[in-house]
Amino acid sequence: MTQLVTFGEAVLRLSPPPTARLETAEQFDVWTTGAASNVAVAASRLGTDVAWMSKLSDTPLGRRAVSTLRGHGLTADVTWADADEGRQGLTFYEHGTTPRRSTSVDDRDRTALETIEPGGLAMDTVQNAETVFASGESLALSEDVVETTQAVLRAAGGKSVLGLDYRPDLWSSEDARETITELFPAVDVFVTNTEEAQRVLKQTGKPPEMAHQLANEGDFETVVMTRGEHGALVWHDATIHERDAVETDAVDVTGQHDAFVGAFLGRRLAGDDVGGALAHGVAAAALTRTIHGPVPTIDPSEVEHVVADLDDGSPGGGGGPLR
């Protein structure tokens, strides 16, 4: 039995060196990234048995994405599309430092995942998994993706988890809200951040109040919410658990939310209570902020070291946004 199954698109991210521009760079770093694949990587690297499911183009780029992910110890359960039936998604990311903002340019039209169908996935693996995670990032691609995501969440034999993972460059907040809320009846655990909750789901009030409102509106068992520079919180059994962010020298923040989610889910599967899993999530996010690139290539011993510091009451907070 697989502990964790994640479903969603993985793209290749091309980035110039940190001080270069997209329009003038002569070389690019390449990563395989995406909310679902990053969550899978983080959980796998921390010892969870993980299978990532998706549909990719049977091309050198698609095969590169899969081989990279398998290198992190997870199982890549992929439906392959012929090259003329769908392409590999790309995203171009330029890292900005104040006052220059970071820039992201998506090239994700006609990707293979757009034509995914429930029959193209190993639903027996989904049914037998202890936890299933689906990313809302992929829902903007097509109605087929929405229907398949709903089928995956409904088929989950264990806990079903949905991450909002809103990308404003892919769709409007109104379209995202309509689609996401249609999936709520099939979701046990909902993951978001304060900005998404406000912008997409029109939540108001302080973060604990928003988490409580979301739990009531969606009838969720658990709501996980990252809180920017204030860390993260979890609503579970009508109780709020909170952790401050860990102070870091940020190198790249783009993978930290996914690292948080992967670590949190992995530790819950390992038997940790909500507070323990929350501490591991915050630690994983902090470490990922110190790594160049969007992929959470975290080390278990480093995570445990940060968690120990948190438990000892070492200074934290002020570490910057988790999303």
Side-chain angles (χ1 to χ4, degrees):
M1 175 185 292
T2 303
Q3 289 181 291
L4 175 64
V5 169
T6 74
F7 169 69
E9 187 176 41
V11 300
L12 295 180
R13 187 183 105 170
L14 287 79
S15 296
T19 57
R21 307 300 302 267
L22 281 171
E23 63 183 271
T24 58
E26 296 182 354
Q27 62 184 30
F28 292 85
D29 294 323
V30 183
W31 290 274
T32 300
T33 185
S37 61
N38 280 352
V39 167
V41 167
S44 177
R45 292 182 66 89
L46 296 182
T48 307
D49 180 23
V50 184
W52 165 74
M53 291 184 169
S54 191
K55 183 176 182 179
L56 294 178
S57 177
D58 190 7
T59 62
L61 295 181
R63 292 191 292 271
R64 174 185 176 130
V66 169
S67 64
T68 301
L69 293 175
R70 285 175 175 158
H72 294 288
L74 56 85
T75 298
D77 194 341
V78 175
T79 300
W80 293 104
D82 291 339
D84 58 353
E85 295 177 353
R87 53 187 290 274
Q88 171 62 44
L90 304 174
T91 187
F92 298 85
Y93 179 81
E94 176 184 303
H95 178 73
T97 55
T98 305
R100 180 168 57 86
R101 295 182 178 180
S102 297
T103 301
S104 181
V105 180
D106 280 305
D107 182 12
R108 297 171 65 174
D109 290 337
R110 298 177 288 104
T111 60
L113 192 69
E114 288 187 8
T115 58
I116 188 70
E117 295 179 350
L121 298 177
M123 282 299 180
D124 55 337
T125 302
V126 173
Q127 293 166 349
N128 292 325
E130 295 182 51
T131 296
V132 174
F133 171 85
S135 169
E137 175 186 44
S138 301
L139 297 174
L141 300 180
S142 72
E143 187 59 35
D144 286 342
V145 177
V146 175
E147 292 177 1
T148 302
T149 301
Q150 187 173 55
V152 167
L153 293 169
R154 287 178 173 174
K159 300 296 182 185
S160 57
V161 185
L162 176 65
L164 202 165
D165 298 319
Y166 174 63
R167 290 185 62 93
D169 48 339
L170 296 181
W171 57 347
S172 69
S173 60
E174 291 76 16
D175 289 341
R177 179 169 61 255
E178 180 179 353
T179 300
I180 288 288
T181 53
E182 288 178 354
L183 300 180
F184 279 0
V187 176
D188 298 316
V189 180
F190 185 63
V191 183
T192 185
N193 63 46
T194 52
E195 182 180 351
E196 291 176 341
Q198 293 166 341
R199 181 173 180 177
V200 179
L201 300 177
K202 303 302 182 184
Q203 296 296 312
T204 59
K206 297 180 179 180
E209 296 170 342
M210 290 193 288
H212 182 73
Q213 292 165 9
L214 285 171
N216 287 337
E217 293 172 8
D219 193 25
F220 301 128
E221 174 185 303
T222 306
V223 174
V224 182
M225 181 179 291
T226 55
R227 300 181 53 197
E229 63 183 10
H230 302 292
L233 64 82
V234 178
W235 182 100
H236 181 74
D237 285 343
T239 302
I240 292 289
H241 306 260
E242 297 183 83
R243 280 279 188 175
D244 289 339
V246 177
E247 185 174 355
T248 60
D249 293 325
V251 173
D252 192 332
V253 303
T254 52
Q256 60 181 347
H257 178 82
D258 304 330
F260 174 94
V261 177
F264 177 84
L265 295 179
R267 293 314 305 174
R268 288 291 282 163
L269 285 164
D272 284 12
D273 60 17
V274 169
L278 177 59
H280 281 78
V282 168
L287 289 167
T288 301
R289 284 173 56 80
T290 68
I291 300 168
H292 182 49
V295 182
T297 52
I298 48 181
D299 181 270
S301 62
E302 293 175 337
V303 172
E304 293 300 334
H305 178 75
V306 175
V307 170
D309 285 346
L310 289 172
D311 291 339
D312 289 342
S314 298
L322 289 181
R323 177 77 172 182

